[in-house]
Amino acid sequence: MQQKLKEQNVMITGASGGLGERIAYHAAKEGAEVILAARRKDRLMALKQNIADETGAKCRIIALDVSRTDDIKAAFQEAGPVDILVNNAGFGIFENALDASLEDMKAMFEVNVFGLIACTKMALPHMIRQDKGHIINIASQAGKLATPKSSLYAATKHAVLGYSNSLRMELAETRVNVTTVNPGPIQTDFFKTADKRGDYVKSVERWMLDPDQVAKKVVSAMMTNKREINLPGWMNGVSKLYQLFPALVERAGRSAFYKK
Protein backbone atom coordinates (compact mmCIF):
# COMPACT_ATOMS: atom_id res chain seq x y z
CA MET A 1 0.00 0.00 0.00
CA GLN A 2 1.37 3.41 -0.98
CA GLN A 3 1.91 5.74 1.96
CA LYS A 4 1.40 9.37 0.95
CA LEU A 5 3.53 10.81 3.77
CA LYS A 6 6.52 8.49 3.46
CA GLU A 7 9.78 10.28 4.34
CA GLN A 8 7.88 13.37 5.52
CA ASN A 9 8.69 14.79 8.97
CA VAL A 10 5.43 15.77 10.66
CA MET A 11 5.64 17.76 13.89
CA ILE A 12 2.50 18.03 16.03
CA THR A 13 2.22 20.31 19.04
CA GLY A 14 -0.18 19.41 21.83
CA ALA A 15 0.32 15.80 20.77
CA SER A 16 -0.06 14.08 24.14
CA GLY A 17 -3.82 13.59 23.89
CA GLY A 18 -7.07 14.36 22.12
CA LEU A 19 -6.97 15.49 18.51
CA GLY A 20 -3.17 15.80 18.43
CA GLU A 21 -2.74 12.18 19.49
CA ARG A 22 -5.12 10.94 16.79
CA ILE A 23 -3.43 13.06 14.10
CA ALA A 24 -0.13 11.48 15.14
CA TYR A 25 -1.52 7.95 14.75
CA HIS A 26 -2.97 8.57 11.31
CA ALA A 27 0.10 10.44 10.04
CA ALA A 28 2.27 7.53 11.21
CA LYS A 29 0.00 5.08 9.38
CA GLU A 30 0.62 7.10 6.22
CA GLY A 31 4.37 6.60 6.60
CA ALA A 32 5.37 9.88 8.22
CA GLU A 33 8.13 10.22 10.76
CA VAL A 34 6.14 11.83 13.55
CA ILE A 35 7.62 14.32 15.99
CA LEU A 36 5.42 14.57 19.08
CA ALA A 37 5.68 17.81 21.06
CA ALA A 38 3.85 18.53 24.30
CA ARG A 39 4.42 19.35 27.95
CA ARG A 40 3.73 15.88 29.40
CA LYS A 41 6.76 13.78 28.56
CA ASP A 42 5.34 10.65 30.24
CA ARG A 43 2.27 10.78 27.99
CA LEU A 44 4.47 11.33 24.95
CA MET A 45 6.63 8.32 25.80
CA ALA A 46 3.56 6.10 26.13
CA LEU A 47 2.14 7.41 22.85
CA LYS A 48 5.46 6.88 21.08
CA GLN A 49 5.46 3.23 22.16
CA ASN A 50 1.83 2.75 21.09
CA ILE A 51 2.50 4.26 17.65
CA ALA A 52 5.57 2.09 17.18
CA ASP A 53 3.63 -1.04 18.21
CA GLU A 54 0.62 -0.30 15.97
CA THR A 55 2.28 1.20 12.88
CA GLY A 56 6.00 0.45 13.03
CA ALA A 57 6.62 4.11 12.15
CA LYS A 58 9.51 6.21 13.38
CA CYS A 59 8.49 8.52 16.15
CA ARG A 60 10.36 11.08 18.23
CA ILE A 61 9.28 13.10 21.25
CA ILE A 62 10.14 16.62 22.40
CA ALA A 63 9.00 18.09 25.70
CA LEU A 64 7.72 21.54 24.82
CA ASP A 65 5.46 24.10 26.44
CA VAL A 66 4.58 26.42 23.54
CA SER A 67 3.75 29.23 25.98
CA ARG A 68 7.49 29.45 26.61
CA THR A 69 8.44 31.04 23.33
CA ASP A 70 12.10 31.19 24.36
CA ASP A 71 12.13 27.36 24.41
CA ILE A 72 10.63 26.95 20.94
CA LYS A 73 13.85 27.66 19.01
CA ALA A 74 15.69 24.94 20.96
CA ALA A 75 12.84 22.49 20.37
CA PHE A 76 12.98 23.02 16.59
CA GLN A 77 16.76 22.71 16.59
CA GLU A 78 16.29 19.35 18.30
CA ALA A 79 13.53 18.35 15.86
CA GLY A 80 15.51 19.17 12.73
CA PRO A 81 13.79 19.92 9.40
CA VAL A 82 9.98 19.80 9.58
CA ASP A 83 8.01 19.22 6.38
CA ILE A 84 4.54 19.47 7.91
CA LEU A 85 3.76 21.41 11.09
CA VAL A 86 0.46 20.89 12.88
CA ASN A 87 -0.08 23.70 15.39
CA ASN A 88 -2.54 21.86 17.59
CA ALA A 89 -1.63 23.05 21.10
CA GLY A 90 -4.33 25.21 22.59
CA PHE A 91 -6.90 25.59 25.35
CA GLY A 92 -9.89 27.66 26.32
CA ILE A 93 -11.69 28.83 29.43
CA PHE A 94 -15.35 29.80 29.20
CA GLU A 95 -16.08 32.87 31.34
CA ASN A 96 -18.01 36.09 30.95
CA ALA A 97 -15.72 38.87 29.75
CA LEU A 98 -16.17 40.74 33.03
CA ASP A 99 -15.22 37.68 35.11
CA ALA A 100 -12.31 36.43 33.00
CA SER A 101 -8.97 37.02 34.67
CA LEU A 102 -6.06 38.81 33.05
CA GLU A 103 -3.93 35.77 33.89
CA ASP A 104 -6.24 33.52 31.83
CA MET A 105 -6.20 36.06 29.01
CA LYS A 106 -2.40 36.12 28.95
CA ALA A 107 -2.12 32.33 29.13
CA MET A 108 -4.58 31.72 26.29
CA PHE A 109 -2.85 34.17 23.96
CA GLU A 110 0.58 32.80 24.85
CA VAL A 111 -0.44 29.25 23.89
CA ASN A 112 -3.10 29.71 21.21
CA VAL A 113 -1.52 32.61 19.32
CA PHE A 114 2.05 33.51 20.26
CA GLY A 115 3.17 29.88 20.54
CA LEU A 116 1.57 29.02 17.20
CA ILE A 117 3.27 31.97 15.49
CA ALA A 118 6.64 31.18 17.03
CA CYS A 119 6.47 27.52 15.97
CA THR A 120 5.50 28.55 12.44
CA LYS A 121 8.43 30.97 12.20
CA MET A 122 10.81 28.18 13.19
CA ALA A 123 9.41 25.71 10.65
CA LEU A 124 9.05 28.03 7.65
CA PRO A 125 12.69 28.62 6.59
CA HIS A 126 13.27 24.92 5.76
CA MET A 127 9.94 24.70 3.92
CA ILE A 128 10.71 27.79 1.85
CA ARG A 129 14.22 26.56 1.03
CA GLN A 130 12.90 23.25 -0.28
CA ASP A 131 9.86 24.97 -1.84
CA LYS A 132 7.54 22.43 -0.26
CA GLY A 133 5.78 22.14 3.04
CA HIS A 134 2.56 22.56 4.95
CA ILE A 135 1.47 24.63 7.95
CA ILE A 136 -1.76 23.30 9.48
CA ASN A 137 -3.27 25.51 12.18
CA ILE A 138 -5.99 24.09 14.39
CA ALA A 139 -8.37 27.01 14.81
CA SER A 140 -12.09 26.72 15.60
CA GLN A 141 -15.56 27.66 14.46
CA ALA A 142 -15.21 30.11 17.38
CA GLY A 143 -12.80 31.97 15.13
CA LYS A 144 -15.69 32.66 12.75
CA LEU A 145 -18.63 32.99 15.12
CA ALA A 146 -18.03 34.25 18.65
CA THR A 147 -20.53 33.38 21.36
CA PRO A 148 -21.10 34.54 24.96
CA LYS A 149 -18.60 33.34 27.59
CA SER A 150 -15.96 32.64 24.95
CA SER A 151 -14.73 36.18 24.30
CA LEU A 152 -11.07 35.48 25.08
CA TYR A 153 -10.98 32.06 23.43
CA ALA A 154 -12.78 33.38 20.34
CA ALA A 155 -10.36 36.31 20.19
CA THR A 156 -7.40 33.91 20.06
CA LYS A 157 -8.99 31.87 17.28
CA HIS A 158 -9.91 34.97 15.28
CA ALA A 159 -6.22 35.87 15.58
CA VAL A 160 -5.18 32.43 14.30
CA LEU A 161 -7.43 32.76 11.26
CA GLY A 162 -6.18 36.28 10.52
CA TYR A 163 -2.56 35.19 10.80
CA SER A 164 -3.13 32.10 8.67
CA ASN A 165 -4.96 33.97 5.92
CA SER A 166 -2.22 36.58 5.67
CA LEU A 167 0.52 33.95 5.73
CA ARG A 168 -1.18 32.00 2.96
CA MET A 169 -1.08 35.06 0.70
CA GLU A 170 2.57 35.72 1.56
CA LEU A 171 3.43 32.16 0.51
CA ALA A 172 1.32 32.18 -2.66
CA GLU A 173 4.38 32.09 -4.93
CA THR A 174 5.79 29.03 -3.14
CA ARG A 175 4.63 25.43 -2.74
CA VAL A 176 4.20 25.87 1.00
CA ASN A 177 0.53 25.42 1.89
CA VAL A 178 -1.42 26.86 4.80
CA THR A 179 -4.58 25.14 6.05
CA THR A 180 -6.82 26.13 8.93
CA VAL A 181 -8.94 23.51 10.68
CA ASN A 182 -12.14 24.96 12.10
CA PRO A 183 -14.02 22.34 14.12
CA GLY A 184 -16.96 22.71 16.40
CA PRO A 185 -16.79 20.98 19.80
CA ILE A 186 -14.75 17.75 19.80
CA GLN A 187 -14.96 14.91 22.34
CA THR A 188 -11.62 15.57 24.07
CA ASP A 189 -10.28 16.72 27.44
CA PHE A 190 -10.51 20.32 26.22
CA PHE A 191 -13.73 20.80 28.14
CA LYS A 192 -12.24 19.70 31.48
CA THR A 193 -10.59 23.13 31.50
CA ALA A 194 -12.98 25.14 29.35
CA ASP A 195 -16.26 23.98 30.91
CA LYS A 196 -15.56 22.92 34.50
CA ARG A 197 -19.27 22.76 35.43
CA GLY A 198 -20.13 20.65 32.39
CA ASP A 199 -23.13 22.76 31.37
CA TYR A 200 -21.92 23.37 27.82
CA VAL A 201 -20.94 19.75 27.27
CA LYS A 202 -24.42 18.60 28.30
CA SER A 203 -26.08 20.98 25.86
CA VAL A 204 -23.92 20.09 22.83
CA GLU A 205 -22.99 16.48 23.58
CA ARG A 206 -25.07 15.03 20.75
CA TRP A 207 -23.28 17.26 18.21
CA MET A 208 -19.73 16.65 19.40
CA LEU A 209 -17.22 15.51 16.80
CA ASP A 210 -15.23 12.29 17.01
CA PRO A 211 -11.53 13.27 17.29
CA ASP A 212 -10.52 10.27 15.19
CA GLN A 213 -12.71 11.37 12.28
CA VAL A 214 -11.40 14.94 12.49
CA ALA A 215 -7.82 13.61 12.57
CA LYS A 216 -8.40 11.54 9.43
CA LYS A 217 -9.58 14.62 7.55
CA VAL A 218 -6.54 16.60 8.72
CA VAL A 219 -4.11 13.88 7.63
CA SER A 220 -5.86 13.41 4.29
CA ALA A 221 -5.33 17.14 3.60
CA MET A 222 -1.58 17.03 4.31
CA MET A 223 0.60 18.26 1.44
CA THR A 224 -2.44 19.49 -0.47
CA ASN A 225 -3.51 23.09 -1.08
CA LYS A 226 -6.74 22.78 0.89
CA ARG A 227 -7.54 26.16 2.38
CA GLU A 228 -9.83 25.15 5.26
CA ILE A 229 -11.39 22.13 6.92
CA ASN A 230 -14.73 23.12 8.45
CA LEU A 231 -16.65 20.73 10.71
CA PRO A 232 -19.48 19.99 11.13
CA GLY A 233 -20.99 21.28 7.91
CA TRP A 234 -24.17 22.68 9.47
CA MET A 235 -22.18 24.70 12.03
CA ASN A 236 -19.98 26.13 9.30
CA GLY A 237 -23.19 27.06 7.48
CA VAL A 238 -24.25 29.12 10.49
CA SER A 239 -20.81 30.77 10.52
CA LYS A 240 -21.16 31.71 6.84
CA LEU A 241 -24.65 33.07 7.47
CA TYR A 242 -23.25 35.13 10.35
CA GLN A 243 -20.72 36.77 8.03
CA LEU A 244 -23.60 37.94 5.84
CA PHE A 245 -26.25 38.73 8.47
CA PRO A 246 -24.54 39.08 11.88
CA ALA A 247 -27.35 40.89 13.70
CA LEU A 248 -29.95 38.40 12.47
CA VAL A 249 -27.90 35.37 13.58
CA GLU A 250 -27.17 36.92 16.97
CA ARG A 251 -30.89 37.53 17.58
CA ALA A 252 -32.06 34.16 16.25
CA GLY A 253 -29.36 32.14 18.00
CA ARG A 254 -29.34 33.96 21.32
CA SER A 255 -30.85 31.16 23.37
CA ALA A 256 -28.54 28.55 21.86
CA PHE A 257 -25.44 30.73 22.23
CA TYR A 258 -26.01 31.15 25.97
CA LYS A 259 -25.90 27.41 26.72
CA LYS A 260 -22.48 27.60 28.34
Side-chain angles (χ1 to χ4, degrees):
M1 182 179 68
Q2 187 177 8
Q3 295 177 303
K4 62 174 280 191
L5 300 179
K6 192 172 178 60
E7 298 181 355
Q8 300 294 305
N9 293 325
V10 179
M11 184 168 179
I12 305 161
T13 66
S16 60
L19 179 59
E21 176 184 330
R22 300 316 304 164
I23 292 172
Y25 270 110
H26 289 291
K29 287 178 182 177
E30 290 292 338
E33 179 173 342
V34 179
I35 305 165
L36 308 170
R39 292 175 302 164
R40 295 173 289 186
K41 195 169 183 178
D42 56 334
R43 296 272 302 261
L44 292 178
M45 291 178 68
L47 178 56
K48 175 183 177 180
Q49 188 60 54
N50 290 341
I51 288 176
D53 291 344
E54 290 191 25
T55 71
K58 292 181 180 179
C59 186
R60 291 183 282 143
I61 63 173
I62 296 176
L64 175 63
D65 180 347
V66 299
S67 71
R68 298 177 176 270
T69 50
D70 292 342
D71 295 345
I72 289 174
K73 183 176 180 179
F76 275 80
Q77 288 174 338
E78 181 182 346
V82 172
D83 302 304
I84 301 169
L85 171 64
V86 182
N87 283 308
N88 172 69
F91 76 100
I93 298 173
F94 294 158
E95 291 280 3
N96 288 318
L98 184 62
D99 299 327
S101 71
L102 295 180
E103 290 77 13
D104 287 344
M105 173 201 70
K106 187 168 182 282
M108 269 188 272
F109 271 89
E110 284 177 339
V111 173
N112 298 2
V113 182
F114 305 148
L116 177 148
I117 291 171
C119 287
T120 301
K121 282 180 65 68
M122 289 297 105
L124 272 178
H126 165 72
M127 296 182 185
I128 291 171
R129 278 195 302 271
Q130 70 174 3
D131 194 28
K132 185 178 70 172
H134 203 160
I135 303 293
I136 300 176
N137 292 330
I138 308 300
S140 171
Q141 285 295 319
K144 296 187 171 190
L145 173 58
T147 56
K149 296 185 72 175
S150 65
S151 57
L152 297 182
Y153 178 70
T156 67
K157 295 305 183 178
H158 275 74
V160 169
L161 289 178
Y163 174 74
S164 302
N165 292 339
S166 181
L167 180 64
R168 186 183 298 109
M169 288 188 280
E170 291 177 11
L171 296 171
E173 300 303 315
T174 75
R175 293 194 299 159
V176 179
N177 299 308
V178 178
T179 299
T180 55
V181 183
N182 307 306
I186 306 175
Q187 291 175 333
T188 68
D189 288 343
F190 172 89
F191 292 102
K192 288 183 178 180
T193 299
D195 179 39
K196 288 184 171 65
R197 292 180 302 184
D199 296 342
Y200 181 65
V201 170
K202 287 177 184 175
S203 65
V204 301
E205 199 166 18
R206 64 185 179 277
W207 297 316
M208 278 193 168
L209 298 164
D210 178 353
D212 202 60
Q213 295 304 312
V214 178
K216 287 179 180 178
K217 290 184 179 294
V218 172
V219 172
S220 70
M222 287 179 176
M223 300 308 277
T224 74
N225 63 354
K226 192 170 186 66
R227 178 188 175 87
E228 295 184 345
I229 298 172
N230 294 291
L231 299 166
W234 68 266
M235 189 173 288
N236 188 55
V238 174
S239 295
K240 287 184 176 180
L241 187 64
Y242 179 72
Q243 292 168 4
L244 297 172
F245 308 105
L248 174 64
V249 172
E250 286 173 2
R251 286 197 303 271
R254 184 167 297 172
S255 61
F257 294 158
Y258 274 92
K259 289 183 177 180
K260 283 195 184 76

